[in-house]
Amino acid sequence: MGGFGYLSVSFFPSLTMAATSGLAYKRKRSNGEVLQERLWNNPVLKAHFDSSRDVHHYKKLTRPTIRNHDLVKEHYRQFTAYLQQLFDEGKSEKPPQAPEIVIGTPLPTLEYMKDFLCYLVSALQGRDTSTFIRYETLRGYMYTFLALWPRYVNVHPTTAIRYQLNAYIQSDELKTSVNLSTKIRDLKHVEPQCLQILTETLHSASNIFRSHRTQLQIAFLILFSAASAARPGSIVESGCYCGSNEALTWGDLDFYLIPDDEDPAHPSLVVDIQLNLVKGYRDVDHRYQKILFTLEIRKEHRMTCIVLPLLGLAFQDSVFAHFHSVDSLLCPERPPTTRVKLLLRNEVMNLLVFRKEEQGGISDTEAVTHGSWLSHLNKLSIVAGFPKPLTPYDLRASQGNKADVELGETARKTLMLHDPKSQVYFNKYKSKTITADLSAVSNRRNQDQNKVELFWQTITVSSGRDTNAPTDLMLKERENLLNEPELVKLQNEKDKATNKIRQLLANEQSEEVKVQIAELRRIAAKAYNTHRVLYWGELCLRIKQARQRFFDEASVRQMLSPSEPILFKGLMAGNSNDSKYRIESSFLSLVNDLDTGDPVSDYCTLVNILISQPERILYHKFYPGEKPDDENKCPHCSQILTNLPSTTKPGEHVHHCTRKVLSEKATAQVQAQFTPQECKYGHCSKFFNQRSEFITHLIKTHFRKMYTHCKWQISPGVTCDAEDVEDWRAHFSELHGFNLDESVLTEYCTICGIWLYDIAGDRQELNNHHLAHYADLFDSFSSRPLEGTSVSLLPVGIIETEKYIEYTPGTGFNGQLPEFHGHVSDNIALVPGFCPSCVFNEDLPMRKRMHQFIGLNQLMTHFNTVHQPHFSESENLCPVPSCGHHRFAEQELLIHLIKFHRIPLAGSGKHSKVKCLLLPSPDRKPLTHKRRKRSEGFRCIGCSVVVSDINKHLQRKQTTEQAKHCVYTAKYSIVTNGERGPVQIWTAPSLSESQE
């Protein structure tokens, strides 16, 4: 065995592999032998070796640099084209040079280069499209233009040319003609309290994240960027390398457990993150950076712990080979005695840590882009109420300034990956604000830390934050924007083209007409797209200006007029605070409060909460007290709420199931209180032990005959004999003590947020409850003023166009007008809608008058099918008495109800920030849900449906309120040739009739 016999090859897998493939060590050979072998074995190398190298080679550049080259070359082409046009028109005697910068193109004269710079200054726009480009931008274009000639033409401009071009862009001659800004962006100081606010907002905000993984990813990116001062492109897909899919992978991370002498049962976890995507050195293996982090287990530091969201992501991806829970990792049964490195699964080494969110979930292969990271950070900072939105580079710059003070210049350059002689930090990142107590310095006193903290509090980015700052334009401001002449012109062009298309489509289409239609569609599309770009660009600019004004006027608003309301609020819809309809974050509720005495155990609990979160975030609203379970399932039927049809919202589904469950419980309670009963109707004497069987017997056997008179025996030999009773359910409930509902009617009052149960079956409890709401909301508007009294019918609080109106969702009339329109979001009625015709119809019971519509489409369908058919062509009064005695034509009344009362009678647009109600077209009536009509059959009076078999229709299972209403009504008419016959009372067929 020799001297190495004690070594086992199992400890050296690499040596084992080498042994199976022959000797890896080769004797030293001559250059000729090595060359011959390599050319023989490598055809690609041989082809390159034999090829000619008498060609122009291009220096390898990064993708952003090449993009800048292409941009300047395009500007140069446009410049030469402009000179060619002037030369052809005889306006200039300077002949243009070749537009392409390629081998053989002569170097332009110095004057020609200055002309090009003058063209760039005069033609290019600044950030707000109304200013010139910045001086640094022009200087960068100049150096890029000079760099094009050595690379693409192999011609090197002289030092004298460079000197003259520099002198020109700094000359007074140029400065007097244009104003080239030399300002740089203001540095936003991100302090610890800012990070605390951002992370709290991240876990509590709604409508920002669709998945919990994205939420964890953004939490880590915020905290990591703020601590490491890393460029965004080193951890996510850089905007300069769009489509490269290069980002941080799990293989770039190492996890270590270090024994803790003070707490041996809980080893310390250290995460080593290696950043390989260094700016300018992406392809250089030795230019990387390593950053170490560990747990922040103290209660006050949990929210800003960098490792916490990272562990959540790690266990979601199951990256550890031998640890499958955070408890086994941080609280192991056998703690390590030396430093140990945790092994990761081979399958995840190339898996991206931060992955893009797709429609079906999280992508397995696509990286999060810088644009997505920037967008989420902007939204978070705006929702948090910061005066200015944050960017990833604000986090980098703030940490660079902190490192410069706390760690020194050398450590700061290492942290920010700046070259030793680089001046970028001082030019771009260093804060220009001095927060020291200079008075103490001048008077040779010690620094007053209270003053220093006051200075930092003044300049921090969260200073003066206000979550009430506008995130959209007010209604009047939006109206002013829509009425801008340029936008109106584009809208008219689009409408003119679309109207012409409709006219052409109404007639027979020839080939010439088809060509004309295609051209009109192109014109309409161009006008629409241009309108859309201008509208949204101007909208964003005006929102930014509105936020700036809001923060500028904070002192006036808070100190001089503190009682003045900021926003217009209404009586009902305006006070619809939707915070109580949202799900609170379980993580956010525990991260600051969880304290069992064992900080490591508490930390494990928080990680487990992050891991156990379902994939998708339900940002939808739910009624108070109703929410999904921990797996995003309905707590009643276990339906996965993220897989519902698009027309059904999660809150709507849970509410429906809650109603069903509560109705079943109330019915079971009534059943438990049921005393075995004998049927006393007429001569019937059947005995029943179950309430359900008794009620079914009454309805199917005797209820049909009650339309003449009631034959229920009050006492032996004495019948009720009540006749002409309109509501038999109320009659039986009040006089005979029976609830004829098979299941107890259960209703939810969206105004009070409570469930109502009709245990007695007479609907009286529901009527009494709604009577109180009627007195509060509508009683003051129930009297019509005297004839001749002047009543203002001008709409308020809306933007009016030819085809629709807009108003801000949630706004009302401040008690000046009755409010019927409600406020519905995610099919949840924050404020219910009401039918104005039913509310003031004193012939209806209060329950029907105050019926709460939790879907505005239901209100539209109800009004257009029940009330609109009774309108006359003229002389219609508004159903709201407070509108006075003004007479409306049918179309005028519909428009009045839409504009003045905001009732959606012609449909609504799919908008979120504004509510859009369509107006009826002059040549057609409002939208209605039309049913297919039968010309022959039986028309059920209960549901107005024409069916072929009335017996089958009325004997179907009573699983819905509509089916119960049909059985309760039990009337029909025969339809012949589309004409209805007289109404008849339906009686159940006998056994012999049904057999026939």
Side-chain angles (χ1 to χ4, degrees):
M1 297 291 292
F4 301 96
Y6 66 93
L7 294 177
S8 173
V9 296
S10 62
F11 286 94
F12 302 95
S14 60
L15 295 182
T16 304
M17 294 174 60
T20 59
S21 59
L23 294 176
Y25 177 77
K26 303 292 185 182
R27 67 177 178 84
K28 185 173 179 62
R29 294 170 293 168
S30 65
N31 292 346
E33 290 176 327
V34 174
L35 176 62
Q36 184 177 3
E37 180 184 353
R38 288 177 176 174
L39 294 180
W40 177 265
N41 294 328
N42 192 337
V44 177
L45 176 59
K46 187 177 187 309
H48 174 71
F49 189 82
D50 295 338
S51 64
S52 173
R53 272 163 285 283
D54 186 17
V55 294
H56 179 72
H57 288 96
Y58 296 94
K59 179 183 177 181
K60 185 177 181 181
L61 301 174
T62 61
R63 187 187 297 186
T65 304
I66 294 176
R67 186 178 64 179
N68 287 338
H69 284 197
D70 293 338
L71 179 62
V72 174
K73 286 196 289 185
E74 179 60 29
H75 290 325
Y76 189 70
R77 294 189 195 99
Q78 295 174 0
F79 168 64
T80 55
Y82 174 72
L83 289 185
Q84 184 67 51
Q85 179 182 355
L86 294 181
F87 185 78
D88 294 341
E89 295 175 355
K91 298 180 181 179
S92 174
E93 298 180 355
K94 298 180 182 179
Q97 295 198 8
E100 299 298 333
I101 303 177
V102 293
I103 292 292
T105 303
L107 184 68
T109 63
L110 178 60
E111 182 185 8
Y112 196 84
M113 292 184 182
K114 291 181 180 179
D115 289 342
F116 177 54
L117 293 180
C118 183
Y119 168 82
L120 292 178
V121 171
S122 305
L124 300 187
Q125 297 178 346
R127 282 187 173 271
D128 60 358
T129 71
S130 62
T131 58
F132 295 97
I133 58 176
R134 297 174 60 249
Y135 169 77
E136 287 296 328
T137 304
L138 177 62
R139 188 166 176 264
Y141 283 158
M142 180 193 72
Y143 283 118
T144 301
F145 177 70
L146 293 174
L148 296 178
W149 298 95
R151 186 174 194 272
Y152 300 100
V153 189
N154 201 21
V155 174
H156 296 261
T158 64
T159 305
I161 292 178
R162 295 174 181 272
Y163 178 84
Q164 272 297 306
L165 293 181
N166 258 316
Y168 170 68
I169 64 175
Q170 298 178 38
S171 65
D172 294 336
E173 176 187 355
L174 184 61
K175 289 181 180 180
T176 55
S177 303
V178 295
N179 181 20
L180 298 180
S181 174
T182 56
K183 293 182 179 180
I184 62 173
R185 299 182 186 179
D186 294 334
L187 173 65
K188 304 182 183 74
H189 297 270
V190 182
E191 293 300 302
Q193 62 268 30
C194 305
L195 297 178
Q196 184 81 13
I197 293 170
L198 278 177
T199 49
E200 289 179 357
T201 304
L202 178 139
H203 289 287
S204 62
S206 59
N207 293 353
I208 294 182
F209 306 102
R210 292 186 297 176
S211 68
H212 281 285
R213 183 177 183 90
T214 302
Q215 192 178 48
L216 283 182
Q217 291 177 167
I218 299 302
F220 176 82
L221 289 172
I222 291 175
L223 299 175
F224 179 78
S225 299
S228 66
R231 290 184 176 90
S234 63
I235 45 181
V236 298
E237 183 185 273
S238 172
C240 297
Y241 291 84
C242 184
S244 65
N245 209 38
E246 295 178 345
L248 192 71
T249 64
W250 286 113
D252 298 329
L253 278 71
D254 290 326
F255 295 83
Y256 297 96
L257 285 179
I258 314 294
D260 190 343
D261 296 336
E262 297 181 359
D263 188 5
H266 300 129
S268 300
L269 177 67
V270 176
V271 183
D272 183 349
I273 303 176
Q274 179 171 313
L275 303 180
N276 297 312
L277 303 175
V278 178
K279 180 180 179 181
Y281 300 96
R282 284 181 168 243
D283 298 328
V284 181
D285 294 338
H286 69 275
R287 293 298 295 263
Y288 61 83
Q289 183 183 34
K290 281 180 172 287
I291 304 176
L292 304 179
F293 294 103
T294 188
L295 307 182
E296 299 281 358
I297 60 176
R298 294 178 59 180
K299 180 179 177 181
E300 57 270 21
H301 297 160
R302 291 174 186 163
M303 183 65 77
T304 55
C305 176
I306 300 172
V307 182
L308 183 59
L310 183 63
L311 283 179
L313 295 172
F315 281 103
Q316 281 187 0
D317 288 340
S318 302
V319 301
F320 299 109
H322 304 103
F323 297 91
H324 307 295
S325 68
V326 68
D327 300 271
S328 64
L329 183 65
L330 301 182
C331 305
E333 296 181 2
R334 298 174 55 188
T337 57
T338 62
R339 189 216 74 171
V340 295
K341 180 180 178 180
L342 305 180
L343 297 180
L344 306 185
R345 295 189 301 115
N346 292 331
E347 295 84 354
V348 303
M349 299 302 287
N350 294 322
L351 180 64
L352 295 166
V353 179
F354 311 109
R355 302 194 293 278
K356 184 188 300 184
E357 186 175 293
E358 298 177 334
Q359 187 172 5
I362 299 296
S363 172
D364 294 330
T365 57
E366 298 293 325
V368 170
T369 63
H370 173 259
S372 176
W373 162 214
L374 173 63
S375 174
H376 280 107
L377 184 57
N378 278 340
K379 290 178 182 178
L380 273 175
S381 52
I382 289 176
V383 172
F386 290 1
K388 298 288 182 65
L390 286 178
T391 66
Y393 269 92
D394 293 328
L395 303 176
R396 170 176 166 82
S398 293
Q399 183 65 354
N401 279 270
K402 296 173 189 174
D404 192 52
V405 175
E406 301 292 336
L407 306 178
E409 180 181 357
T410 303
R412 184 258 303 160
K413 287 185 175 181
T414 303
L415 179 66
M416 302 188 73
L417 291 174
H418 287 157
D419 292 333
K421 297 182 180 180
S422 172
Q423 297 297 316
V424 173
Y425 170 76
F426 294 97
N427 296 331
K428 302 292 186 181
Y429 293 103
K430 186 172 179 59
S431 174
K432 307 300 188 294
T433 304
I434 299 176
T435 56
D437 183 5
L438 298 181
S439 297
V441 175
S442 63
N443 292 282
R444 296 190 181 278
R445 296 194 307 261
N446 292 330
Q447 291 285 299
D448 188 339
Q449 292 302 319
N450 291 331
K451 292 182 179 179
V452 174
E453 292 179 5
L454 179 64
F455 296 156
W456 278 112
Q457 184 179 355
T458 303
I459 65 174
T460 183
V461 68
S462 62
S463 178
R465 78 183 188 100
D466 193 338
T467 55
N468 292 318
T471 58
D472 197 8
L473 294 184
M474 300 291 287
L475 201 67
K476 186 63 177 178
E477 296 170 337
R478 184 183 291 273
E479 183 178 14
N480 293 337
L481 174 58
L482 290 173
N483 290 330
E484 288 292 338
E486 193 171 355
L487 294 179
V488 172
K489 179 181 178 182
L490 290 170
Q491 184 65 41
N492 292 338
E493 289 179 6
K494 182 222 172 197
D495 292 341
K496 181 179 179 180
T498 53
N499 292 335
K500 184 64 176 177
I501 291 173
R502 292 193 189 98
Q503 296 175 5
L504 295 176
L505 291 175
N507 302 321
E508 187 176 351
Q509 302 175 28
S510 61
E511 289 298 327
E512 182 180 354
V513 172
K514 290 181 179 179
V515 172
Q516 187 177 359
I517 290 176
E519 178 63 19
L520 289 171
R521 283 176 173 165
R522 187 192 64 79
I523 295 174
K526 181 179 179 181
Y528 170 77
N529 292 331
T530 306
H531 182 282
R532 186 170 180 269
V533 170
L534 289 177
Y535 174 79
W536 284 108
E538 185 67 20
L539 179 67
C540 293
L541 180 61
R542 295 193 182 190
I543 292 175
K544 182 179 178 180
Q545 295 171 349
R547 288 181 63 86
Q548 186 63 50
R549 287 195 302 270
F550 179 88
F551 288 106
D552 290 343
E553 298 169 358
S555 59
V556 178
R557 186 170 56 252
Q558 296 181 24
M559 301 174 65
L560 301 182
S561 55
S563 61
E564 181 181 350
I566 297 174
L567 298 175
F568 176 75
K569 299 294 184 181
L571 176 64
M572 290 168 38
N575 292 332
S576 56
N577 182 10
D578 66 347
S579 59
K580 63 180 180 179
Y581 296 87
R582 300 190 180 278
I583 305 174
E584 293 185 358
S585 168
S586 56
F587 174 82
L588 187 61
S589 61
L590 287 176
V591 67
N592 293 322
D593 301 330
L594 183 62
D595 188 3
T596 62
D598 186 351
V600 177
S601 177
D602 294 343
Y603 197 94
C604 293
T605 300
L606 295 176
V607 175
N608 286 327
I609 290 176
L610 294 179
I611 299 171
S612 63
Q613 297 292 334
E615 179 183 354
R616 307 294 287 183
I617 291 180
L618 287 179
Y619 56 83
H620 303 84
K621 298 181 181 65
F622 294 79
Y623 285 109
E626 302 175 9
K627 64 178 182 179
D629 60 15
D630 294 336
E631 298 179 355
N632 274 354
K633 294 182 180 179
C634 175
H636 306 299
C637 68
S638 298
Q639 167 70 40
I640 300 177
L641 298 179
T642 54
N643 295 337
L644 294 173
S646 58
T647 55
T648 304
K649 302 298 182 182
E652 179 186 17
H653 175 91
V654 174
H655 187 66
H656 174 77
C657 288
T658 303
R659 181 194 302 273
K660 182 179 178 181
V661 169
L662 294 179
S663 178
E664 290 174 352
K665 288 182 178 180
T667 303
Q669 181 180 352
V670 174
Q671 174 66 43
Q673 298 173 355
F674 177 74
T675 304
Q677 182 69 246
E678 177 186 0
C679 178
K680 298 180 181 180
Y681 185 81
H683 300 289
C684 182
S685 59
K686 289 186 179 181
F687 194 82
F688 298 91
N689 292 318
Q690 298 294 326
R691 175 184 177 276
S692 58
E693 297 177 355
F694 176 56
I695 298 301
T696 302
H697 167 78
L698 282 177
I699 293 176
K700 291 189 175 181
T701 306
H702 305 302
F703 198 60
R704 306 299 165 211
K705 303 175 183 178
M706 295 181 186
Y707 287 96
T708 54
H709 58 274
C710 177
K711 295 183 179 181
W712 186 263
Q713 295 185 17
I714 301 175
S715 58
V718 180
T719 59
C720 176
D721 288 334
E723 295 184 358
D724 300 329
V725 178
E726 295 182 359
D727 191 342
W728 284 100
R729 292 180 185 273
H731 171 77
F732 257 77
S733 174
E734 296 172 359
L735 297 183
H736 306 311
F738 297 118
N739 182 352
L740 293 182
D741 292 324
E742 293 187 13
S743 58
V744 174
L745 179 63
T746 305
E747 286 187 357
Y748 181 77
C749 178
T750 55
I751 301 176
C752 301
I754 62 174
W755 287 95
L756 306 174
Y757 304 93
D758 185 26
I759 302 297
D762 58 356
R763 311 294 192 259
Q764 193 59 41
E765 182 176 351
L766 306 181
N767 288 331
N768 293 338
H769 181 86
H770 291 298
L771 179 61
H773 289 316
Y774 174 82
D776 291 339
L777 303 178
F778 301 112
D779 187 53
S780 59
F781 306 100
S782 60
S783 299
R784 201 172 292 273
L786 297 176
E787 188 81 32
T789 304
S790 176
V791 178
S792 175
L793 299 179
L794 294 177
V796 294
I798 67 169
I799 295 177
E800 183 178 346
T801 68
E802 183 180 354
K803 297 183 178 180
Y804 60 88
I805 67 166
E806 284 185 2
Y807 66 91
T808 304
T811 55
F813 300 119
N814 204 26
Q816 302 301 315
L817 296 172
E819 298 180 6
F820 306 99
H821 55 285
H823 181 24
V824 178
S825 178
D826 294 332
N827 288 358
I828 298 297
L830 279 66
V831 176
F834 296 93
C835 172
S837 295
C838 293
V839 164
F840 297 107
N841 186 354
E842 297 181 355
D843 295 333
L844 296 175
M846 187 57 66
R847 170 177 168 265
K848 292 186 177 180
R849 292 174 63 180
M850 291 293 293
H851 177 77
Q852 299 176 11
F853 291 90
I854 60 175
L856 298 185
N857 284 336
Q858 301 173 5
L859 175 58
M860 178 184 72
T861 303
H862 164 80
F863 193 92
N864 289 340
T865 56
V866 176
H867 302 296
Q868 184 188 338
H870 300 289
F871 290 174
S872 62
E873 294 184 1
S874 61
E875 301 297 317
N876 293 291
L877 286 175
C878 176
V880 182
S882 59
C883 286
H885 295 271
H886 183 82
R887 304 286 176 171
F888 297 91
E890 179 180 4
Q891 191 79 353
E892 292 176 347
L893 179 56
L894 295 176
I895 295 176
H896 165 77
L897 291 171
I898 295 174
K899 290 184 179 180
F900 193 73
H901 296 293
R902 303 182 186 176
I903 302 175
L905 301 182
S908 58
K910 297 181 179 180
H911 298 72
S912 56
K913 294 185 177 181
V914 295
K915 188 64 181 178
C916 175
L917 301 184
L918 304 180
L919 295 173
S921 300
D923 56 345
R924 66 179 180 88
K925 294 183 178 181
L927 301 174
T928 58
H929 293 275
K930 297 181 179 180
R931 297 188 178 98
R932 184 171 57 89
K933 296 183 178 180
R934 294 175 181 266
S935 58
E936 305 286 342
F938 302 89
R939 181 179 181 272
C940 175
I941 302 301
C943 62
S944 302
V945 175
V946 179
V947 298
S948 58
D949 190 339
I950 190 64
N951 293 327
K952 184 177 180 180
H953 176 71
L954 294 177
Q955 288 179 321
R956 69 189 189 276
K957 291 184 178 181
Q958 300 179 34
T959 56
T960 63
E961 291 294 328
Q962 185 62 65
K964 295 176 183 178
H965 183 66
C966 292
V967 175
Y968 168 72
T969 306
K971 294 181 180 180
Y972 69 95
S973 60
I974 300 176
V975 179
T976 306
N977 295 328
E979 299 292 333
R980 305 175 190 171
V983 176
Q984 304 180 36
I985 299 175
W986 178 82
T987 56
S990 62
L991 181 61
S992 59
E993 290 176 344
S994 61
Q995 288 176 347
E996 293 177 359

